[in-house]
Amino acid sequence: MGYRLSDPKRFGLARTSKQRWHLWRTQMTQLVTHERIHTTWAKARALQFVAHKTFKMGQDASKNRGNAINRLMGILTTKFAIKKLINEIVPKFKDPKEQVFKVVETKRRRSDFARMGYIEFTKNEIAKYEESQQKQLQETGKIVDISKYNKTWLIEERDFIKDKLDQAQSRFDALQADPNTPSVEIKRADQDVKFFKRKLETVEKDLWIENKNPLDMRRYFRIY
């Protein structure tokens, strides 16, 4: 039997249906309590579908629709998680088109090289704290901004290659203008000009990529 792409049952996770259900209940409760949990990539992706349904139940419960609270009690295992979802998390997302959850892949696990990641609410206090700490460390100079470093390095390399290209081009023109110049030297000078042109194109492309928005990169290069 095939499953839809949005069906969490397609993630077997090497467990029976009952074991998967208890796993999702526990992880969903921890996600609401801490607003971010770190787990394997497969579990995070599987939990994403369950989390969307739970969040919709929380929206219904906040508006007193039907038996939404009773259904939430069947998913979340603690009263604290139910109250936090209804009173704190749901009011943050008033726009229906807003992204509620985010799944991010991290480094692979060292023991078995499994893909790891974390799932979180987009408007959580952990992400805000990390962003503020990152900005503070960059301002104090304790963390180097890699993007700025790469841009500076590429600009210096581009200027250096441009100078070399101008020198090679002027040498090629001088040799070509002299009728006594051997053809071997003219050929070598032409190869030098072509070499520096290729290097300049590569550096300019890398510099364009550094200045480009990551969202535009997906559109132009189809990086998914």
Side-chain angles (χ1 to χ4, degrees), residues 59-70:
Q59 287 179 323
D60 294 340
S62 64
K63 298 175 182 177
N64 296 322
R65 292 179 181 174
N67 61 342
I69 294 179
N70 292 333

Side-chain angles (χ1 to χ4, degrees), residues 22-119:
H22 286 295
L23 172 68
W24 288 333
R25 285 192 67 194
T26 306
Q27 286 196 323
M28 192 64 220
T29 305
Q30 294 296 318
L31 177 61
V32 173
T33 304
H34 303 290
E35 299 186 22
R36 176 194 285 183
I37 56 171
H38 190 259
T39 180
T40 59
W41 176 252
K43 289 178 185 175
R45 289 286 294 166
L47 185 64
Q48 190 177 12
F49 306 115
V50 182
H52 278 290
K53 293 180 180 179
T54 308
F55 180 76
K56 288 181 181 178
M57 289 182 194
Q59 287 179 323
D60 294 340
S62 64
K63 298 175 182 177
N64 296 322
R65 292 179 181 174
N67 61 342
I69 294 179
N70 292 333
R71 287 186 291 154
L72 271 177
M73 291 174 66
I75 297 176
L76 302 177
T77 59
T78 61
K79 293 181 180 179
F80 173 79
I82 296 172
K83 290 180 181 179
K84 184 175 180 179
L85 178 64
I86 297 171
N87 299 328
E88 296 183 23
I89 296 176
V90 170
K92 292 181 182 178
F93 302 93
K94 296 180 180 179
D95 188 2
K97 295 182 181 179
E98 211 167 6
Q99 185 183 3
V100 181
F101 299 98
K102 183 171 68 173
V103 180
V104 180
E105 186 175 1
T106 57
K107 294 181 180 179
R108 289 183 176 264
R109 190 160 55 192
R110 187 174 295 180
S111 60
D112 57 353
F113 207 62
R115 294 175 68 187
M116 302 297 292
Y118 62 83
I119 180 171

Side-chain angles (χ1 to χ4, degrees), residues 18 22 34 66 76 96-97 119-120 129 132 139 194 216:
K18 187 176 180 180
H22 286 295
H34 303 290
L76 302 177
K97 295 182 181 179
I119 180 171
E120 66 175 357
Y129 173 76
S132 63
E139 289 172 359
K194 290 179 180 178
D216 294 335

Side-chain angles (χ1 to χ4, degrees), residues 111-160:
S111 60
D112 57 353
F113 207 62
R115 294 175 68 187
M116 302 297 292
Y118 62 83
I119 180 171
E120 66 175 357
F121 288 95
T122 52
K123 293 181 178 179
N124 64 80
E125 298 300 325
I126 301 172
K128 292 179 182 178
Y129 173 76
E130 288 178 348
E131 288 177 3
S132 63
Q133 288 293 310
Q134 191 78 7
K135 288 181 180 178
Q136 187 177 358
L137 289 172
Q138 286 180 358
E139 289 172 359
T140 55
K142 292 182 180 179
I143 292 181
V144 179
D145 192 349
I146 297 174
S147 61
K148 289 183 180 179
Y149 175 79
N150 288 339
K151 288 177 187 177
T152 306
W153 182 77
L154 287 171
I155 289 170
E156 291 177 357
E157 187 179 8
R158 181 193 62 186
D159 296 339
F160 174 76

